[in-house]
Amino acid sequence: MTVVSSSFAPPEGVFVPVPTFFKSSPVPPALQAPLDVEAQIQHSIHLAKNGIRGLVLLGSTGEAIHLSREERFELISGVRKGLTEAGFLDYPIMAGVLTNSVDEALEWLADAKRAGAQWGLVLAPGYFGAAANQENLQEWYTLVADSSPIPILIYNYPGVTNNILVSLETYTKLAAHPKIVGCKMSHGNVSHHVQVSLDPAIDHSKFRVFSGFGQQLGPIVLFGAAGVIDGLAAIYPRTVSRLFDLAANRPVTPEALSEIQLLQFAVSRAEEMVGKWGIVGIKEGIYQVLNIGNLQGGRLPLKGRMPKGEWESWSVAMDAMKKLEEV
């Protein structure tokens, strides 16, 4: 297949960390249900048609750690092919890289490029927690970036890396690397988002700051962040994208600010469901709202759905999002 090349920073806007879709049941002798690439493509095209600037495949929400190497390649290449056939040529795709070994990270990145991804979203190596000091993190990312076939972004998610927090100084140093073109911060430290977005020592035309939390979209974009990689946008892409467009536009008029505030409240309230239920909640939302996928959840140990009546208990927040999505 034709591989999309890239030596540039990802575009500003809303990316979606899409969940990985699986069939409803295993096909013997397999122990777990196979990928549902058809549903994956259907969802990806829906997002591309409704304001989403790009996809993150096989990130944390995409359960990359639950897939084999062959399955990871099948998913990325299948989505790339489906988007191209639907007319979305060179549509932005980041591929998650969730491993602690330098050599294995490079293997994931080589596979991602071959499958059609333009960037790698590389998780901080956190198996040993705080024993991985900032100097070693800088060296680890430098080694990976030096040999990566595609540009990479730093992915800091303390919740899955034994609470490693990439320091401000580390971002400043790594941002100077020609093949490190941004970061995703999946934590609530808004000050870190803002400081890295405004740091005069960083060339922000080639290093983009994304948050993993839509709750922070308005505040951080108003202060220079590039956007969000947000799970709620997998369900309500138009509304989250509209919020980004308003927050990124300059000057911010009083009318725009009023709409930003209205949308940010609705998004933040709905994000409470995502925060509580994670992948299972995102998948149920996609099924309930878009009729894509199923209610089987992810692979073990994330199998299953929300308890009966739980989705309905979020009706106030979700009905507000549904109305906004239809505007």
Side-chain angles (χ1 to χ4, degrees), residues 31-32 63 66 298-303:
L31 300 178
Q32 299 198 90
E63 298 184 69
H66 292 163
R299 282 187 170 168
L300 290 169
L302 302 177
K303 185 179 176 182

Side-chain angles (χ1 to χ4, degrees), residues 17-35:
V18 291
T20 294
F21 294 92
F22 302 103
K23 301 283 189 179
S24 296
S25 57
V27 178
L31 300 178
Q32 299 198 90
L35 297 174

Side-chain angles (χ1 to χ4, degrees), residues 19-25 32-44 67 71 74-75 78-79 283 287 291-297 299:
T20 294
F21 294 92
F22 302 103
K23 301 283 189 179
S24 296
S25 57
Q32 299 198 90
L35 297 174
D36 188 344
V37 178
E38 182 179 338
Q40 201 80 47
I41 294 170
Q42 181 186 1
H43 184 238
S44 297
L67 273 63
E71 287 175 321
E74 178 186 358
L75 186 87
V79 170
K283 283 194 163 185
Y287 179 82
N291 196 31
I292 297 174
N294 55 50
L295 293 174
Q296 304 303 313
R299 282 187 170 168

Side-chain angles (χ1 to χ4, degrees), residues 265-285:
F265 175 78
V267 167
S268 295
R269 183 60 59 89
E271 293 278 7
E272 296 292 320
M273 184 280 291
V274 175
K276 180 178 180 180
W277 290 103
I279 293 169
V280 169
I282 293 170
K283 283 194 163 185
E284 179 141 350

